[in-house]
Amino acid sequence: MEPPPTSHVTTAFSDSDSVSMEVSGDAADPDLEALRRLSDNLAAAFRSPDDFAFLADARVAVPGAPDLRVHRCVLSARSPFLRAVFARHAAGSSPPGAEGVRLELRELLGHEVDVGYEALQLVLDYLYSGRVVRDLPKSACACVDEDGCRHVGCHPAVSFMAQVLFAACTFQVVELTSLFQRRLLDVLDMVEVDNLPLILCVANLCNKSCTKLLERCLDMVVLSNLDMVTLEKALPPDVIKQITDSRLSLGLVSPEDNGFPNKHVRRILRALDSDDVELVRMLLKEGQTNLDDAFALHYAVEHCDSKITTELLDIALADVNLRNPRGYTVLHIAARRRDPKIVVSLLTKGARPSDLTIDGRKAVQISKRLTKYGNHFGITEEGKPSPKDWLCIEILEQAERRDPQLGEASVSLAMAGECQRGRLLYLENRVALARIMFPIEARVAMDIAQVDGTLEFTLASGANPRPEIQGGTVDLNETPFIMKDEHLARIRALSKTVELGKRFFPRCSNVLDKIMDDEAELAALGRDTSTSTDKKRRFHDLQDLLLKAFDEDKEEFNRSAISSSSSSTTSIAAGRLTVRPRR
């Protein structure tokens, strides 16, 4: 485990929130000094795991992060909940491994709230030291909007505090629970209204431990402009009933509908929940409502799979720049969801990135307020997927600039000239390379260009198609080569992929341009009989490397697509707020 980050963001919390044992000079109380040393020594066992590895007898596994090494005796003494967990493991039939008990984070905290690595680290550090730092870690608690945000009420700051509160409450650490309840109460008036359901859901889960926070947050949600459909997706039924009853008693909603849409709109929304766009078409033909009156595109972008959004856009019956009652355009909603494919789909259909919300924010600013500083400015290894929230910011920033020229992709494509066969070979090479180097960006562009609906062509010269792709591929090196409709469809789809990449991902396109231009002779090597043996061998070696890397990544891409499809049908309101309400 790395030591706690030295870069912090200063918050508006008072010094009294933190336990301070710093004393100086002759005025130092021996008892306080002894407590300070005890705190520092115990904290060192957690903060310097490599130095105390021989003492650690348990690990906490956090998805996507290193395991946290812990000591059962310390945690058991400090947390009744953890004591019971370790006692159950000790009573189990299977003995612990060589590195001790390994606990999954889900086993400790359940599935209702996604607690991040930094939040869990803070809670465990408090169990060792009895102290909590005044300033929270910038990488987890600051958003990307450094110029326009104080990092007090933005999503990363609120989400971090809510995660700590939930973990502390679950571990039955009363002092830390009380501290972070006070911190959230102190900033509640500065919290953006869209973040209120997160706090309300966590306070409801903590129940009696957070009564004050629960009551105050509930009152704020009742008086807010958050619609019932959004709240219904993010909160459990008992909380929804409290909100509905309160709004009825205050005369904020009609007794006829309790603030929910009429039955015709709800039928369309239910059809979207079922991923049934054909049913949506049938309901529209009845003439009882339309997509704009139902704000169906807003709903699909916020709550449905990206495929449904694409199909709804293809119907071409919804205004892509329509504002909902809260003043949000569809692109504003997409910026909150932070799905690159949806953002690009809307932009290609004419969504305006310059439109402002009622409080004066563009879509890119919305996305920045939701993105953690560490996610945006962290380092992503080449060939590894880029964070989706980071990509959305890049796409929206690029959309606000003047569109680049979308002609020939690079020098080497221009060299292909009128040779359609060479052009197709170039595009296949370029897109395959993009899938390896920039998998998420390539997937976004390919999905919108509908590349998967065209035939894939082999790159191997003079070889039969591989058995696993033989049914859906054509070998370009067979002679004579005749340009057919399927070849032209493939060229159009791949060309659109390249154009989308240049428009929304110029960073990636510049890298691909350089690589493809450096290898400009590749397109000619496959068909030039006068080429030297060494060059041909180099060409085939490069092909083999490319095909091998592509095969290795293809299965991973498919798994990611399946995972994304299955998870996106879950409430996006709950997902983006890192809360899954109990039902």
Side-chain angles (χ1 to χ4, degrees):
M1 183 191 71
E2 297 180 356
T6 56
S7 177
H8 294 80
V9 54
T10 301
T11 60
F13 310 130
S14 64
D15 291 331
S16 61
D17 283 342
S18 301
V19 179
S20 176
M21 290 184 286
E22 299 297 333
V23 290
S24 60
D26 298 333
D29 186 315
D31 290 337
L32 287 179
E33 179 64 18
L35 286 174
R36 186 188 66 79
R37 289 185 179 180
L38 175 62
S39 173
D40 290 342
N41 290 336
L42 285 173
F46 178 69
R47 296 171 185 171
S48 305
D50 293 336
D51 295 338
F52 294 88
F54 63 97
L55 290 176
D57 58 0
R59 290 171 178 260
V60 179
V62 182
D67 288 357
L68 290 167
R69 298 176 187 172
V70 295
H71 310 80
R72 287 182 289 175
C73 59
V74 176
L75 298 186
S76 296
R78 295 281 284 144
S79 166
F81 174 85
L82 293 175
R83 184 190 312 138
V85 171
F86 290 131
R88 286 198 303 271
H89 276 267
S93 57
S94 58
E99 296 183 342
V101 176
R102 190 171 190 268
L103 300 172
E104 296 292 335
L105 186 61
R106 296 293 190 192
E107 179 184 354
L108 295 176
L109 297 175
H111 298 270
E112 285 90 356
V113 179
D114 290 327
V115 176
Y117 183 81
E118 297 90 347
L120 179 64
Q121 189 177 4
L122 185 147
V123 174
L124 294 177
D125 187 88
Y126 179 83
L127 291 177
Y128 279 84
S129 67
R131 291 183 288 177
V132 61
V133 294
R134 176 177 180 268
D135 297 331
L136 304 179
K138 183 176 182 178
S139 61
C141 302
C143 68
V144 180
D145 188 8
E146 295 188 276
D147 298 327
C149 183
R150 295 175 56 199
H151 310 304
V152 174
C154 61
H155 180 77
V158 171
S159 178
F160 181 85
M161 288 187 285
Q163 291 170 32
V164 172
L165 175 64
F166 177 77
C169 180
T170 303
F171 292 167
Q172 300 174 18
V173 186
V174 178
E175 301 85 355
L176 192 61
T177 302
S178 178
L179 169 60
F180 272 84
Q181 179 182 209
R182 292 201 311 272
R183 288 191 168 190
L184 281 168
L185 284 168
D186 288 342
V187 303
L188 206 53
D189 290 332
M190 294 176 277
V191 170
E192 296 174 3
V193 67
D194 290 294
N195 293 326
L196 288 176
L198 162 63
I199 304 174
L200 178 56
C201 193
V202 170
N204 183 63
L205 291 171
C206 295
N207 202 354
K208 295 181 180 179
S209 300
C210 296
T211 304
K212 291 182 180 179
L213 182 62
L214 176 60
E215 292 176 352
R216 186 175 169 194
C217 193
L218 187 60
D219 290 341
M220 293 179 68
V221 170
V222 167
L223 298 175
S224 73
N225 62 355
L226 291 167
D227 61 272
M228 293 305 300
V229 172
T230 298
L231 293 174
E232 189 179 39
K233 289 286 185 178
L235 298 169
D238 58 322
V239 177
I240 291 297
K241 187 177 186 309
Q242 293 181 63
I243 294 172
T244 303
D245 292 345
S246 297
R247 287 183 171 180
L248 278 171
S249 65
L250 294 172
L252 299 176
V253 295
S254 168
E256 286 76 19
D257 56 27
N258 290 340
F260 289 93
N262 64 56
K263 64 178 182 180
H264 303 293
V265 171
R266 300 214 75 174
R267 289 171 66 191
I268 287 182
L269 301 187
R270 284 196 295 268
L272 291 174
D273 284 334
S274 302
D275 296 345
D276 195 341
V277 177
E278 284 305 314
L279 178 57
V280 172
R281 292 177 186 270
M282 293 173 58
L283 293 172
L284 292 176
K285 290 179 180 179
E286 294 180 359
Q288 300 294 336
T289 187
N290 57 53
L291 293 181
D292 287 347
D293 289 345
F295 298 104
L297 194 53
H298 289 78
Y299 183 89
V301 165
E302 187 168 11
H303 302 296
C304 300
D305 184 79
S306 58
K307 175 177 68 70
I308 301 303
T309 299
T310 302
E311 293 180 11
L312 210 57
L313 286 170
D314 290 340
I315 295 179
L317 294 177
D319 181 0
V320 76
N321 292 302
L322 179 70
R323 293 181 182 272
N324 66 10
R326 299 184 60 206
Y328 285 168
T329 67
V330 183
L331 189 60
H332 293 150
I333 301 296
R336 289 197 59 80
R337 178 162 177 174
R338 291 169 289 169
D339 185 319
K341 181 181 176 182
I342 292 178
V343 172
V344 173
S345 295
L346 292 172
L347 291 170
T348 57
K349 293 293 185 178
R352 294 189 295 264
S354 58
D355 282 358
L356 301 176
T357 60
I358 294 175
D359 58 356
R361 289 179 296 159
K362 297 179 182 179
V364 67
Q365 291 169 305
I366 292 174
S367 193
K368 284 183 175 181
R369 291 283 180 93
L370 292 166
T371 302
K372 291 195 298 185
Y373 184 93
N375 285 357
H376 187 72
F377 294 106
I379 298 175
T380 301
E381 297 180 25
E382 186 176 282
K384 299 295 183 182
S386 303
K388 289 188 176 182
D389 43 11
W390 183 84
L391 281 179
C392 285
I393 293 174
E394 181 183 36
I395 292 167
L396 290 167
E397 286 180 336
Q398 185 63 25
E400 289 191 2
R401 303 188 183 104
R402 183 175 62 87
D403 286 346
Q405 296 298 318
L406 302 179
E408 297 294 350
S410 68
V411 176
S412 51
L413 182 55
M415 290 175 62
E418 296 299 321
C419 178
Q420 295 283 51
R421 179 171 175 271
R423 179 184 176 88
L424 188 48
L425 279 169
Y426 168 85
L427 291 170
E428 291 283 6
N429 275 316
R430 182 186 178 97
V431 172
L433 185 61
R435 294 182 69 175
I436 294 169
M437 297 186 65
F438 308 105
I440 298 297
E441 294 91 330
R443 188 72 263 168
V444 168
M446 292 174 66
D447 284 348
I448 294 173
Q450 300 181 352
V451 171
D452 291 342
T454 61
L455 291 178
E456 178 184 345
F457 297 92
T458 62
L459 303 178
S461 174
N464 293 325
R466 289 173 290 167
E468 64 270 21
I469 61 174
Q470 192 166 8
T473 62
V474 177
D475 191 339
L476 291 179
N477 294 299
E478 292 178 352
T479 56
F481 177 76
I482 301 174
M483 185 64 65
K484 300 179 181 179
D485 289 343
E486 56 264 32
H487 303 146
L488 295 175
R490 184 70 174 180
I491 287 179
R492 286 193 294 270
L494 293 176
S495 296
K496 185 175 181 180
T497 301
V498 173
E499 290 173 1
L500 288 170
K502 290 184 71 66
R503 179 179 177 186
F504 296 110
F505 307 112
R507 164 185 54 85
C508 306
S509 289
N510 291 338
V511 174
L512 294 172
D513 284 347
K514 186 177 186 306
I515 294 174
M516 299 303 292
D517 290 345
D518 287 345
E519 304 298 336
E521 72 274 13
L522 287 181
L525 285 175
R527 62 180 184 276
D528 189 353
T529 57
S530 64
T531 305
S532 68
T533 304
D534 290 340
K535 285 188 176 182
K536 284 187 175 182
R537 184 182 300 111
R538 177 167 171 262
F539 173 60
H540 293 306
D541 289 343
L542 287 172
Q543 286 180 345
D544 292 340
L545 288 173
L546 184 63
L547 291 171
K548 180 180 179 181
F550 180 76
D551 288 338
E552 291 174 351
D553 285 353
K554 192 168 186 178
E555 184 177 353
E556 181 179 349
F557 294 147
N558 293 335
R559 284 201 307 269
S560 299
I562 293 172
S563 174
S564 173
S565 175
S566 61
S567 62
S568 59
T569 56
T570 307
S571 166
I572 190 61
R576 69 161 182 268
L577 296 175
T578 68
V579 172
R580 297 179 182 86
R582 289 192 179 103
R583 293 292 182 183

